[in-house]
Amino acid sequence: MTTVFSPARLGPVTLRNRVIKAATFEGRTPDALVTDDLIEYHRAPAAGGVGMTTVAYCAVSPEGRTDRHQIWMRPEAVPGLRRLTEAIHAEGAAASAQIGHAGPVANAASNRLPALAPGRMFSPLGMARTVRPDAAELQRVVRAFADAALTAEEAGFDAVELHFGHNYLISSFFSPLLNHRRDSYGGSLANRARLAREVAAAVRDAVGDRIAVLAKLSMDDGVVGGLHLEESLQIGRWLEEDGTLDALELTIGSSLLNPMYLFHGDAPRKDFAKAFHGPMSWGMRLGGRFFLREYPYREAYMLDLARQFRYELNMPLVLLGGITTAETMQLAMNEGFEFVAMARALLRQPDLLLRIQENEHTPSLCTHCNKCMPSIFSRTTCVLARPDEPALT
């Protein structure tokens, strides 16, 4: 029987087990470069037993950041990234870099560069209208993904994860709600999926089989008129047929329009309002209940949707969402998923996996209060963690 602690192949990489620390904003790169704080953030779950940890968010270009403090993949970033991967490898884990372009989720005011989207729209994040890239500009983005993957390889990463979710740039092109283009990147689903397929092909051509290539793919935006299951399934089929990816990590929700659909649990509206300034703060106070909706937490809350991909696809799949116990991890294995991804539970307890290996009945201390979410705008942390808690790492 396959267990979550069995070694597994991910493209050219062998992971010591099937648990991946999911990409989550760290808020620990004030100068858009690696810090010791960021290294420790990833060293801890690596020492705590995960098979691979995912560094987020590594933008492929300056305007592709959600704000100017985030890492973007360039030569100046390589020495720090190499220190980061070396620290992760020293703990026995593999390292993945999530590379992406924030598109309409980018804060143009912070970046001091226009945000890109399938068409012109008002973005409350930067209090400005987005820019509609033409075909030549989109090819620049495709090349930027390939270059970012090569930078990740140079820095010692074992894998890259392409961000095709949450209404970031690639995902925004999937969405019928956001993509009203009439060129070869809009209209039919085949056209709306074109940019994703071009990016995946360009990255694979750049790195070959030297490192693994995954994609985080939205199954459902959770937005009326947005991307939903049937279209996402077809995109998954095309990506599998193209043969450019080693695995898909399945996700849901829209950072632009419905972020809590991804997270489930409490919606910390007051904490978000405090994290913003000016109009955004007032907007969150007045309309937060419409933007930050509440979805009750349950274990493996994405499983019902993800099962449809497991039925349809043969490629390796990563199950995300509500993975906190040994029982849930084994359920994922029994359902045919090759990997599971964890995020908030490891923020609360970086060594949770080692604890579960010692005692399979170990509970997660994460309460799904989601108060960690507003902390991404300063320094991502679990507000419930106590410095005096004993650790196995």
Side-chain angles (χ1 to χ4, degrees):
M1 179 179 71
T2 299
T3 75
V4 75
F5 296 111
S6 304
R9 292 282 294 178
L10 177 60
V13 183
T14 299
L15 305 186
R16 62 185 175 189
N17 60 49
R18 297 163 184 266
V19 179
I20 298 171
K21 187 205 172 296
T24 52
F25 283 159
E26 301 98 345
R28 297 169 187 236
T29 56
D31 298 317
L33 295 168
V34 171
T35 61
D36 290 343
D37 197 19
L38 180 69
I39 291 173
E40 178 56 25
Y41 181 94
H42 285 281
R43 188 208 63 80
V50 300
M52 183 167 73
T53 184
T54 311
V55 179
Y57 168 76
C58 301
V60 301
S61 58
E63 84 286 348
R65 297 172 289 175
T66 62
D67 69 66
R68 70 178 180 275
H69 303 295
Q70 289 176 335
I71 294 172
W72 66 280
M73 302 300 269
R74 61 202 193 282
E76 293 86 348
V78 170
L81 290 169
R82 190 174 290 124
R83 286 199 302 123
L84 173 57
T85 58
E86 288 172 353
I88 293 167
H89 291 153
E91 300 293 353
S96 176
Q98 184 189 72
I99 59 175
H101 192 295
V105 183
N107 186 329
S110 176
N111 289 335
R112 303 184 181 97
L113 292 165
L116 305 185
R120 286 180 61 79
M121 56 177 280
F122 179 75
S123 171
L125 294 169
M127 301 302 291
R129 294 183 69 83
T130 60
V131 170
R132 178 191 184 276
D134 60 16
E137 180 74 354
L138 290 176
Q139 288 307 301
R140 178 190 67 81
V141 171
V142 171
R143 292 192 298 273
F145 268 91
D147 291 343
L150 288 171
T151 298
E153 180 187 11
E154 181 185 356
F157 283 96
D158 307 283
V160 289
E161 177 186 283
L162 312 180
H163 200 329
F164 290 174
H166 308 160
N167 285 161
Y168 281 51
L169 184 64
I170 306 300
S171 172
S172 69
F173 271 76
F174 295 154
S175 169
L177 180 66
L178 300 175
N179 186 350
H180 301 144
R181 298 171 72 104
R182 296 183 179 180
D183 62 2
S184 60
Y185 290 95
S188 69
L189 179 62
N191 283 355
R192 286 183 277 125
R194 185 184 307 276
L195 184 59
R197 298 174 75 180
E198 289 179 348
V199 164
V203 168
R204 176 57 75 191
D205 286 346
V207 301
D209 293 324
R210 300 185 299 276
I211 63 174
V213 181
L214 306 82
K216 176 172 278 188
L217 178 68
S218 281
M219 300 181 285
D220 185 341
D221 289 344
V223 176
V224 175
L227 179 74
H228 293 298
L229 179 65
E230 288 306 316
E231 288 195 329
S232 182
L233 277 170
Q234 181 57 59
I235 294 169
R237 293 186 197 105
W238 284 331
L239 289 170
E240 179 172 77
E241 291 168 7
D242 292 345
T244 51
L245 301 175
D246 295 305
L248 282 176
E249 181 176 309
L250 302 171
T251 188
I252 55 177
S254 165
S255 297
L256 189 67
L257 300 169
N258 190 6
M260 290 307 302
Y261 190 48
L262 164 62
F263 292 98
H264 285 51
D266 299 341
R269 300 182 186 112
K270 292 182 180 179
D271 298 272
F272 264 102
K274 292 177 182 177
F276 290 111
H277 302 284
M280 280 293 292
S281 178
W282 283 108
M284 192 62 66
R285 293 175 194 277
L286 296 173
R289 64 190 180 94
F290 300 105
F291 178 63
L292 295 175
R293 309 169 204 173
E294 288 204 7
Y295 296 91
Y297 176 85
R298 70 179 190 278
E299 284 285 300
Y301 56 83
M302 294 190 200
L303 179 58
D304 290 344
L305 285 173
R307 268 196 194 105
Q308 307 307 309
F309 284 78
R310 187 65 293 166
Y311 295 153
E312 294 279 344
L313 305 180
N314 295 314
M315 68 188 302
L317 299 178
V318 185
L319 182 66
L320 174 69
I323 312 292
T324 68
T325 69
E327 181 180 9
T328 305
M329 294 175 195
Q330 191 55 49
L331 171 64
M333 299 298 105
N334 295 344
E335 292 269 356
F337 294 90
E338 284 77 9
F339 303 93
V340 296
M342 304 173 69
R344 287 167 291 177
L346 294 176
L347 187 60
R348 180 72 176 87
Q349 293 168 286
D351 60 356
L352 178 59
L353 203 60
L354 285 182
R355 293 177 184 272
I356 288 175
Q357 283 183 279
E358 289 193 351
N359 178 359
E360 65 178 11
H361 301 294
T362 298
S364 166
L365 298 181
C366 179
T367 66
H368 319 292
C369 68
N370 291 320
K371 290 181 181 292
C372 55
M373 290 173 59
S375 74
I376 69 172
F377 301 106
S378 53
R379 179 178 178 272
T380 305
T381 188
C382 174
V383 303
L384 302 180
R386 302 194 314 271
D388 59 338
E389 283 180 344
L392 298 180
T393 58

